[in-house]
C-alpha cells in the first residue's frame, strides 16, 4: 500500500502542477468500502485519516472496530432516508446530499455533542439517469431550502460522472475527462464567487482522478488505486445500494 500511495501522490502532484495548481490543494480521500478494518489500519499508519464508505451496514461495524484509532468517516453512497440516523451518528462528512427530506432528517438526527455534519451536495452534472444528484438548475433552490438547517454545514459539491468511453477511432480515453467535471467546476466557482464559503469540489476516482484535478477537483476519492481491487461488498445486499459503483 505504501508504494501505491506514493505513486498516487506523485500522479496527483503531477496533474496539479500541470494545471498550474499546488499539489496540497487536492485531498486524497481513501475509499475503504469493501476492505476490512485491517486495511484501514494500514492506511492510518501511512498517515491517511479520512475514509470513504458507501454501505452503512459495512461502515458502522468497521468504524466501531476502529474506535479510538483516529479514523474519520465520510459517507459517499446514496442516502436512504431510513439510514439517516446512522449517518448522522457515525460520520463526520456526508457527500451526495440531494434530497430535502434527507437533509432535514440528518439535521434533526445529528447528535448535539458532535460538530455539525459536513456535507457536499451531489450534482448530476451530465444528466445521467442512472445517478442521483440535482440537475444544475435545481442547486440554488435546494441550497435555499436547507439554509436554516444549523446542524449541517455545506462545504461544496460532488459529482459522479457517466462512465467515459474510449474514443471509437483510437481507443484512447479522452484527455479532457468527462464533461461533468468542467460543468461541476464552473458551478462550484460561480457559487464561491457569489459568497458561499465552500472549499470542497469532490470529483475524480481511481480511473479519472488526473482529469478531475486538471478540471479543479479539491478532493479525489480513491479506492482501487490505493487498496487494490475490492474483495467484496459486505452490506451491499442488505442496503440495496451499489448501483452506481463502477
Ligand atoms: C467506490 C467509490 C469511489 C472509489 O472508486 P475507485 O474506482 O475504487 O477509486 C469513489 N467515489 C464513490 C462515490 C464511490 O462509490
Amino acid at each position: 500500500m505504501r508504494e501505491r500511495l506514493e505513486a498516487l501522490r506523485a500522479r496527483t502532484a503531477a496533474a496539479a502542477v500541470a494545471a498550474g495548481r499546488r499539489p496540497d490543494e487536492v485531498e486524497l480521500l481513501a475509499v475503504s468500502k469493501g476492505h476490512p478494518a485491517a486495511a484501514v489500519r494500514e492506511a492510518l499508519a501511512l498517515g491517511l485519516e479520512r475514509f470513504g464508505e458507501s454501505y452503512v451496514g459495512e461502515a458502522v461495524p468497521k468504524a466501531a472496530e476502529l474506535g479510538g484509532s483516529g479514523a474519520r468517516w465520510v459517507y459517499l453512497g446514496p442516502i436512504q432516508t431510513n439510514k439517516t440516523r446512522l449517518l448522522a451518528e457515525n460520520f463526520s462528512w456526508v457527500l451526495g446530499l440531494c434530497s430535502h427530506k434527507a437533509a432535514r432528517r440528518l439535521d434533526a438526527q445529528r447528535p448535539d455533542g458532535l460538530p455539525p455534519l459536513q456535507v457536499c451536495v451531489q450534482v448530476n452534472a451530465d444528466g445521467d439517469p442512472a445517478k442521483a444528484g440535482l440537475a444544475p438548475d435545481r442547486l440554488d433552490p435546494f441550497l435555499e431550502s436547507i439554509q436554516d438547517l444549523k446542524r449541517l454545514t455545506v462545504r461544496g459539491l460532488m459529482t459522479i460522472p457517466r462512465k467515459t468511453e474510449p474514443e471509437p477511432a483510437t481507443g484512447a480515453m479522452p484527455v479532457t475527462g468527462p464533461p461533468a467535471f468542467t460543468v461541476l467546476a464552473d458551478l462550484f466557482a460561480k457559487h464561491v464567487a457569489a459568497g458561499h464559503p465552500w472549499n470542497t469540489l469532490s470529483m475524480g476516482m481511481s480511473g479519472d482522478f488526473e482529469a478531475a484535478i486538471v478540471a479543479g477537483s479539491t478532493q479525489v476519492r480513491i479506492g482501487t488505486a490505493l487498496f487494490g481491487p475490492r474483495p467484496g461488498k459486505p452490506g451491499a445486499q442488505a442496503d440495496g445500494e451499489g448501483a452506481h459503483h463502477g
Side-chain angles (χ1 to χ4, degrees):
M1 193 184 301
R2 181 183 299 275
E3 275 166 27
R4 284 194 290 252
L5 180 59
E6 274 166 17
L8 272 169
R9 292 226 193 273
R11 286 171 63 189
T12 299
V17 168
R21 304 181 60 205
R22 289 199 327 267
D24 67 2
E25 288 172 26
V26 185
E27 180 203 0
L28 195 160
L29 176 65
V31 178
S32 52
K33 68 166 183 233
H35 294 279
V40 175
R41 282 215 178 82
E42 192 179 347
L44 281 162
L46 294 172
L48 294 164
E49 282 175 2
R50 304 210 307 154
F51 296 92
E53 291 282 336
S54 301
Y55 309 107
V56 179
E58 172 193 351
V60 171
K62 199 185 291 181
E65 191 177 339
L66 288 160
S69 68
R72 284 177 298 143
W73 301 97
V74 178
Y75 183 74
L76 36 75
I79 303 173
Q80 295 176 304
T81 43
N82 64 347
K83 298 278 167 56
T84 52
R85 182 174 298 280
L86 287 167
L87 296 182
E89 290 176 351
N90 290 283
F91 288 83
S92 53
W93 283 64
V94 169
L95 309 179
L97 187 69
C98 56
S99 124
H100 185 243
K101 187 175 176 197
R104 268 190 298 123
R105 290 173 64 96
L106 289 168
D107 176 71
Q109 294 166 343
R110 181 68 170 171
D112 284 336
L114 295 178
L117 190 63
Q118 309 296 298
V119 300
C120 284
V121 178
Q122 184 170 352
V123 176
N124 194 335
D126 52 17
D128 183 352
K131 300 274 167 54
L134 300 170
D137 65 347
R138 301 309 302 157
L139 178 60
D140 286 325
F142 180 73
L143 291 169
E144 228 165 88
S145 79
I146 63 168
Q147 69 182 2
D148 60 323
L149 302 179
K150 297 294 178 235
R151 304 293 295 144
L152 302 184
T153 303
V154 179
R155 300 293 296 273
L157 304 177
M158 76 90 82
T159 200
I160 307 170
R162 277 176 202 265
K163 199 168 159 1
T164 320
E165 302 296 340
E167 309 280 1
T170 61
M173 295 302 276
V175 262
T176 54
F181 288 165
T182 40
V183 171
L184 196 73
D186 287 349
L187 205 56
F188 181 79
K190 188 176 128 237
H191 283 77
V192 170
H196 289 279
W198 294 351
N199 65 358
T200 306
L201 177 58
S202 178
M203 55 187 199
M205 316 196 340
S206 292
D208 57 14
F209 69 94
E210 285 150 313
I213 291 168
V214 170
S217 173
T218 71
Q219 180 189 69
V220 293
R221 309 178 303 259
I222 307 291
T224 312
L226 176 66
F227 291 105
R230 282 180 277 281
K233 295 186 182 179
Q237 297 292 301
D239 287 356
E241 294 169 355
H244 66 301
H245 300 298

